[in-house]
Amino acid sequence: MKKKMGPVIAGLFLIIVIILILVISKKIEKYIPSEEMADLGEYYGVTSDEDVAVVWNQELSDIIVKKFDGQIYLTLDQLKDRLNDRFYYDRNEQLLIYTTAETNIKAYAGKSEYYIGNEATAVPYEIVKTVDGEIYVALDYIQKYTDLAYELVEKPNRLILWTDFDTGEPVSIKKETQLRVKGGIKSPILKELAKDEELILLEQMDDWSRLMTMDGIIGYAKNKHITFDDASLVPKEETLTHSYEGETFTHNLLEEPVNLLWHQVVYPEANSRIASVLASSKGVNVVAPTWFYLNDNEGNIADKASSNYVSICHGQGVKVWGLVSNLENKEADTSYVLSHTTTRENLVHQILTKALQYNLDGVNLDFESIDSAVGDDYIQFVRELSLKCRANNLILSVDNYVPTEYTAFYDRTEQANYADYIVIMAYDEHYSGSGEGSVASIDYVKNGVKNTIAQSVPAEQIILGVPFYTRLWKEVPKEDESDTVESASADYVGYELSSEALGMAETRRRVEANGATMNWLEDMCQYYAQYEHDGATYKVWMEDAKSIEKKLEVMTDNKLAGAAFWKAGLETADVWDVIVAAMQKLQ
């Protein structure tokens, strides 16, 4: 029996020994560092010799740039979205333009020179390349006008790019170790680190730290192998080469609050009324007559101006800012003119020529209903017009809607860099074709100012646009539709809605003629009236001296540059005392 049990016991013992060996091996293996090397090409996402990964401000970015003929190139979108959106590219004329505070710099696609005026400067690379329909711009050229530093490392290609020059704490390696993909000895190795090698500390944790090597590899190493607080090391930012200092913008501002009156001149004959317009107002120091508008697709403008008009204004100490619009001639394609440099520059030239011809003091730009697709073209137009105005001592003011998500492409921040004044048209809250309501409730005005300032537009450059008009809304009941499918819907409206714009005096006359009561709405800071006439219901949120006073409190509370009023002739005389008092508070 014992002889039979011997082999069984021996077998069991062998099995136990094998299990113990496996368990011990597993335990030992847990503490043995991995020697697996990570694939750096995969790590960087580089798949061809032209691909270049970007380590941007100590983080591996999600973009790949290109290397052509030894030069680094970014796509136009990468350039504008990530680095500097002041670069403007005209796809129609294949022209890259950068506008400084003083001048335009131009570079044509496929060329190795750029132009300041007529003077060409050669560079040893193509500034703009077109590859497979994509527009690329050389990083060396971008660096001329952008505060950045960079280093290119090969095998695999990666660009170490700095736009934030606070590079953090330098550290060194105590003894040879590894930089790993993650914080753990089983993680693949990105790089073998030599003793005394310098790195940049990104994040220090309990046992491991996140580091970046000087050649742009980001990973983890054990803290026990790192020397922190190494006084012998020079911070990386001290060795980076970058010399661009940015633009310094100056503005031509009046020394007194702006009290601007828009004067609508439909026909040239209306210019003869300027003396009576000024006599009917008080304290006005700027008049903006609606004299010029885009008249064709070549960038030419129509002209209703009068030298005598300007002489009368100047004789009374009133400046004239000629208004330039894009609304009158529906055949003129604003998008086309703005998106072609030749026509856009002609438009700028036409505006400047007229301003000098009539001895104007400034230009009031009123381009509205612009397609968002030409937002960049519009901003470039503002830049180029501002350069010409400044060079000729002309003030440039630009009319803007109150900020909304769908008008963000008007880029008020960039406008304010170049234009002297930003005018907020704080009206048309409700308009012909919209639902009924106030033209300019107080919250609409307040939010317009607050949101414009929030877009980095300085208060001293903001002119508050205020309406002298209101809308009388008319509701005409529809014929009996109680049995129709339409009438059963939740949003069914049982009347036809229309409106007309009225001045202050006519609005009050209509309200009083119909025996309506005017009720002050504290939340709107306006009088509201409603009445019935000939089977229709009429509603109006009124503008008068009291409502204007409340709007001008927004101007004074925010210490704005002044106010502009649309339009001459729609106000009542008592409004001007309110305006003068408000302007005195800004002194």
Side-chain angles (χ1 to χ4, degrees):
M1 185 68 177
K2 288 182 179 181
K3 289 183 179 180
K4 291 182 179 179
M5 290 297 295
V8 174
I9 293 171
L12 289 173
F13 179 75
L14 181 59
I15 292 170
I16 291 169
V17 169
I18 291 171
I19 291 173
L20 286 172
I21 290 172
L22 290 174
V23 170
I24 292 170
S25 298
K26 199 72 174 176
K27 291 284 187 180
I28 293 173
E29 183 183 357
K30 180 180 178 181
Y31 297 99
I32 298 175
S34 169
E35 295 183 0
E36 177 190 358
M37 297 298 296
D39 183 332
L40 287 183
E42 182 179 334
Y43 167 81
Y44 284 111
V46 172
T47 59
S48 75
D49 291 340
E50 291 181 345
D51 286 351
V52 181
V54 182
V55 179
W56 203 315
N57 293 329
Q58 304 166 164
E59 293 291 341
L60 182 57
S61 78
D62 59 351
I63 68 170
I64 297 293
V65 299
K66 295 293 185 179
K67 184 171 72 169
F68 301 126
D69 301 321
Q71 289 290 325
I72 300 299
Y73 287 82
L74 277 68
T75 68
L76 184 65
D77 287 342
Q78 290 169 344
L79 165 58
K80 293 180 69 65
D81 293 344
R82 302 293 186 102
L83 267 179
N84 189 338
D85 65 358
R86 192 164 290 154
F87 281 94
Y88 167 79
Y89 189 71
D90 180 344
R91 294 179 181 273
N92 296 300
E93 300 184 19
Q94 298 185 351
L95 171 63
L96 183 71
I97 303 176
Y98 190 82
T99 305
T100 69
E102 303 296 334
T103 191
N104 268 344
I105 299 105
K106 297 181 177 180
Y108 288 90
K111 302 297 182 180
S112 299
E113 67 268 341
Y114 60 92
Y115 293 84
I116 300 177
N118 294 322
E119 183 177 346
T121 300
V123 292
Y125 51 84
E126 282 186 35
I127 294 172
V128 181
K129 292 180 72 74
T130 302
V131 180
D132 297 331
E134 187 73 77
I135 308 299
Y136 292 91
V137 183
L139 185 57
D140 279 354
Y141 186 74
I142 296 169
Q143 190 178 30
K144 291 178 180 293
Y145 310 106
T146 308
D147 196 15
L148 64 85
Y150 76 89
E151 300 171 11
L152 177 62
V153 183
E154 299 179 334
K155 297 182 180 180
N157 293 331
R158 66 257 194 197
L159 179 73
I160 309 170
L161 183 65
W162 308 87
T163 53
D164 178 358
F165 303 105
D166 181 8
T167 59
E169 178 187 349
V171 296
S172 62
I173 299 303
K174 291 180 182 178
K175 56 177 292 187
E176 292 181 357
T177 188
Q178 297 81 31
L179 187 72
R180 297 182 179 272
V181 174
K182 296 181 179 179
I185 61 173
K186 293 301 184 181
S187 181
I189 298 168
L190 289 166
K191 184 179 181 181
E192 295 286 348
L193 299 177
K195 184 177 181 299
D196 296 329
E197 183 170 346
E198 297 179 17
L199 296 94
I200 297 172
L201 176 64
L202 304 182
E203 182 183 4
Q204 185 175 353
M205 294 165 285
D206 291 338
D207 298 317
W208 293 74
S209 284
R210 187 164 172 264
L211 308 167
M212 186 180 88
T213 66
M214 294 305 174
D215 58 354
I217 303 176
I218 298 171
Y220 294 81
K222 279 190 172 183
N223 289 345
K224 67 181 183 180
H225 297 149
I226 301 170
T227 299
F228 301 96
D229 303 320
D230 190 337
S232 68
L233 300 180
V234 177
K236 178 65 176 175
E237 59 261 33
E238 295 185 18
T239 66
L240 295 174
T241 301
H242 60 108
S243 58
Y244 184 69
E245 297 180 355
E247 298 296 328
T248 300
F249 294 95
T250 59
H251 299 93
N252 189 2
L253 305 178
L254 299 186
E255 295 181 356
E256 58 185 345
V258 176
N259 186 352
L260 185 152
L261 181 61
W262 277 299
H263 179 203
Q264 187 174 28
V265 179
V266 179
Y267 301 104
E269 293 76 18
N271 288 318
S272 63
R273 295 189 58 250
I274 184 57
S276 63
V277 167
L278 294 178
S280 301
S281 64
K282 290 182 182 179
V284 169
N285 56 8
V286 180
V287 172
T290 59
W291 275 346
F292 311 109
Y293 58 85
L294 181 63
N295 203 32
D296 61 27
N297 291 348
E298 300 302 316
N300 297 308
I301 60 177
D303 174 0
K304 296 178 287 185
S306 162
S307 296
N308 187 56
Y309 183 111
V310 177
S311 296
I312 292 172
C313 289
H314 285 176
Q316 298 190 38
V318 176
K319 299 182 184 301
V320 181
W321 296 354
L323 184 145
V324 184
S325 170
N326 67 324
L327 300 177
E328 284 76 5
N329 187 342
K330 304 303 181 185
E331 299 300 315
D333 187 341
T334 301
S335 294
Y336 180 89
V337 172
L338 295 183
S339 62
H340 291 73
T341 296
T342 301
T343 53
R344 188 180 63 251
E345 288 183 342
N346 183 52
L347 175 57
V348 169
H349 174 73
Q350 293 284 320
I351 294 170
L352 182 67
T353 299
K354 296 298 183 182
L356 297 178
Q357 176 184 343
Y358 292 105
N359 193 27
L360 301 183
D361 305 284
V363 173
N364 179 227
L365 184 64
D366 186 43
F367 269 43
E368 301 181 32
S369 301
I370 296 172
D371 192 312
S372 60
V374 293
D376 280 354
D377 308 295
Y378 171 71
I379 293 301
Q380 185 60 23
F381 172 46
V382 172
R383 293 186 187 113
E384 293 170 356
L385 180 58
S386 77
L387 295 185
K388 296 296 185 182
C389 286
R390 185 167 297 112
N392 290 276
N393 198 33
L394 294 166
I395 291 176
L396 174 62
S397 61
V398 182
D399 300 340
N400 280 271
Y401 303 113
V402 299
T404 58
E405 183 177 347
Y406 56 84
T407 62
F409 65 89
Y410 278 86
D411 196 351
R412 297 157 185 84
T413 305
E414 185 72 344
Q415 281 189 41
N417 284 329
Y418 290 87
D420 299 303
Y421 289 106
I422 302 300
V423 184
I424 305 172
M425 298 183 292
Y427 42 79
D428 279 349
E429 178 182 4
H430 296 87
Y431 50 90
S432 177
S434 78
E436 61 193 9
S438 170
V439 165
S441 67
I442 195 65
D443 283 347
Y444 185 75
V445 175
K446 288 179 177 178
N447 288 332
V449 172
K450 181 184 71 174
N451 294 334
T452 299
I453 292 174
Q455 294 184 8
S456 300
V457 180
E460 62 268 22
Q461 286 182 250
I462 297 175
I463 297 173
L464 179 62
V466 177
F468 279 164
Y469 70 96
T470 190
R471 284 196 171 274
L472 181 64
W473 298 91
K474 180 181 180 181
E475 299 175 357
V476 177
K478 295 178 180 178
E479 295 182 4
D480 184 19
E481 298 179 344
S482 57
D483 295 331
T484 65
V485 173
E486 180 187 2
S487 65
S489 66
D491 57 354
Y492 174 72
V493 177
Y495 54 82
E496 298 289 347
L497 182 67
S498 61
S499 69
E500 59 179 318
L502 300 174
M504 293 179 181
E506 178 61 17
T507 301
R508 182 175 289 272
R509 188 194 69 77
R510 300 248 192 129
V511 168
E512 291 176 349
N514 287 277
T517 300
M518 297 187 301
N519 298 301
W520 180 255
L521 304 180
E522 196 62 42
D523 60 333
M524 309 286 280
C525 286
Q526 289 173 310
Y527 283 107
Y528 172 78
Q530 179 175 327
Y531 59 87
E532 307 291 327
H533 182 74
D534 289 343
T537 299
Y538 292 83
K539 299 178 180 179
V540 63
W541 289 259
M542 300 174 66
E543 296 294 352
D544 64 354
K546 188 174 180 180
S547 71
I548 298 300
E549 182 178 29
K550 292 297 184 181
K551 291 175 175 58
L552 294 179
E553 287 176 3
V554 180
M555 174 192 75
T556 54
D557 289 347
N558 288 279
K559 297 180 173 58
L560 304 184
F565 304 94
W566 180 265
K567 62 179 178 171
L570 296 183
E571 78 279 13
T572 50
D574 57 341
V575 167
W576 288 108
D577 291 329
V578 169
I579 293 172
V580 169
M583 294 297 168
Q584 288 173 345
K585 293 179 182 179
L586 285 179
Q587 296 283 1

